[in-house]
Amino acid sequence: MLNKIFILTYGRSNSQVTWNNLPDIWKEKTYLVVQEREKHLYNGYPTVVLPDEVRNLPTTIEWVVKNNRDIRFGMFDDDLSFYRTRMTGETWEGTKRKMTPEDFLELEKTVCRWMDEGIVQCGMEVAWNIPDRDNEYKEITRICANFFYDGPKVPADEIDWTGSMYAENFHLILQLLKKGYKNRISNRFRIDTIATQSEGGCAVERTVEKHNDSMRALAELHPGIVKLYEKETTGGQWKGTPKLAAKIAWKEAYKSSQVNSLDSFF
C-alpha cells in the first residue's frame, strides 16, 4: 500500500485543486506540505510543516524524501486533476473520464506492484499528450507533477537536489536513471494541471530569467543528454514570452548507467 500522499503547496491556500480532486479514501492519508511562514493559512487541512529554512521546491522535495525513507508515498503538485483513459478493448463512452474512488484503489495496487518489481519512482502520464491506449505503461521517461516513491530504495544521500532550481524534477529523474533506476508511468491513469506560471506555487518567485538559468544549469549537469531550444509560452503569466525548453534523451541517460555497470564489472 501507499502509506502517505504529500501535496506540495505554496501561495494557494484558497485553491487546493489536488486535495479537492482526491477521494476520501486517499484524503485519509494525505497531507499538505506547507512552509512555516504560511502554516496559519491552512487551518482545516492535515499539514506537515517544513522547517523554517526550507523555502523552495528543491529543498522541499529533498526534505520530504529524506524524512520518509521507511515508507511508500506519493508526492503531488497542488493543481492536479485525475483521469482514466479508455484503453484499447474498453467500450465505455468517451476517451477519458474523471477517476473514481475505485480507480484510485486500482492505481495504488498498480504502483505498489511496480515497486515490488523494483521500480523506485513512478507516476501517471499527462493528459495533454496523445494517449497510448495499447500499452499499460511507459518506462524511462519524463514524469510531471506527480510522483510515487519506494522510500527505502531511493538513494537519497547520493542525489544533488538543488543543482537546477526550477528544473528540479528533470534533474532528479536524470540522476536516478544514470544510477540505473528505471522509472515508469501509467498510460491508463493520467493527470492534468493548470497552466505553467499560474498564480501561486513556484510562480511567486520564478521569473523567465530564473527559469532559463535553471535550464542552462540542467544542460551543463547532463551534457549530451539535455539539449536546449527556445519556444513561446502558451499560457499563464508568461503567455507569449519566449523561454528555454529542453529535449531530453531519457533512455540515453539510463543506457549510460548500464555502460558504467559493465565497465565496473570488467
Side-chain angles (χ1 to χ4, degrees):
M1 65 175 291
L2 294 170
N3 302 95
K4 294 181 181 179
I5 306 294
F6 299 103
I7 299 173
L8 312 187
T9 190
Y10 179 68
R12 290 177 176 154
S13 59
N14 295 320
S15 180
Q16 286 301 311
V17 177
T18 300
W19 173 269
N20 292 337
N21 285 324
L22 291 179
D24 289 342
I25 53 174
W26 270 30
K27 284 181 178 176
E28 292 172 358
K29 57 184 173 184
T30 297
Y31 301 84
L32 272 56
V33 180
V34 303
Q35 294 188 15
E36 170 73 26
R37 54 184 165 172
E38 278 202 332
K39 66 180 182 180
H40 63 285
L41 300 175
Y42 293 90
N43 294 329
Y45 292 102
T47 60
V48 172
V49 180
L50 296 163
D52 192 44
E53 66 271 16
V54 178
R55 291 191 169 212
N56 59 50
L57 185 54
T59 55
T60 297
I61 295 170
E62 177 183 12
W63 189 91
V64 171
V65 172
K66 287 185 174 180
N67 282 276
N68 292 280
R69 299 174 192 251
D70 58 339
I71 64 171
R72 291 174 168 179
F73 62 93
M75 189 187 307
F76 293 165
D77 286 8
D78 62 7
D79 60 346
L80 305 186
S81 301
F82 303 90
Y83 297 94
R84 183 179 183 123
T85 304
R86 179 170 54 78
M87 304 296 282
T88 299
E90 294 182 328
T91 57
W92 45 270
E93 186 176 351
T95 59
K96 71 177 190 289
R97 58 167 171 77
K98 286 193 173 182
M99 285 174 60
T100 65
E102 291 73 25
D103 291 330
F104 280 92
L105 289 174
E106 182 179 342
L107 170 64
E108 182 170 353
K109 290 178 181 177
T110 299
V111 166
C112 290
R113 185 178 72 251
W114 292 348
M115 291 178 181
D116 291 341
E117 296 171 6
I119 304 296
V120 303
Q121 182 193 56
C122 44
M124 292 172 272
E125 174 63 295
V126 294
W128 56 85
N129 284 344
I130 297 172
D132 179 348
R133 303 185 189 278
D134 298 318
N135 299 292
E136 286 290 332
Y137 60 80
K138 296 182 182 73
E139 282 191 339
I140 313 175
T141 188
R142 170 182 176 174
I143 306 177
C144 179
N146 76 109
F147 294 84
F148 299 101
Y149 288 102
D150 192 353
K153 296 180 182 178
V154 177
D157 294 328
E158 302 173 22
I159 298 296
D160 167 26
W161 298 93
T162 58
S164 182
M165 187 60 64
Y166 295 105
E168 69 292 326
N169 283 320
F170 288 170
H171 185 34
L172 174 55
I173 293 168
L174 285 170
Q175 289 180 85
L176 289 173
L177 291 175
K178 286 180 172 181
K179 292 180 182 297
Y181 295 94
K182 289 183 180 180
N183 62 23
R184 189 177 288 178
I185 58 173
S186 171
N187 291 321
R188 183 180 299 275
F189 300 108
R190 296 190 291 161
I191 59 97
D192 206 352
T193 67
I194 60 177
T196 299
Q197 205 59 13
S198 297
E199 185 176 352
C202 290
V204 174
E205 298 175 348
R206 178 174 54 194
T207 63
V208 171
E209 291 76 18
K210 289 179 179 179
H211 164 86
N212 288 344
D213 287 344
S214 294
M215 297 304 288
R216 294 186 189 100
L218 185 70
E220 291 175 5
L221 289 162
H222 304 282
I225 302 295
V226 176
K227 295 183 179 180
L228 302 181
Y229 66 98
E230 191 174 272
K231 73 173 187 178
E232 186 173 295
T233 310
T234 57
Q237 296 174 357
W238 297 350
K239 185 176 182 180
T241 303
K243 70 173 184 179
L244 288 178
K247 294 181 179 179
I248 301 178
W250 304 106
K251 289 179 172 55
E252 289 301 313
Y254 179 73
K255 189 183 297 183
S256 71
S257 75
Q258 306 308 294
V259 172
N260 291 337
S261 296
L262 286 172
D263 287 345
S264 299
F265 177 79
F266 290 111

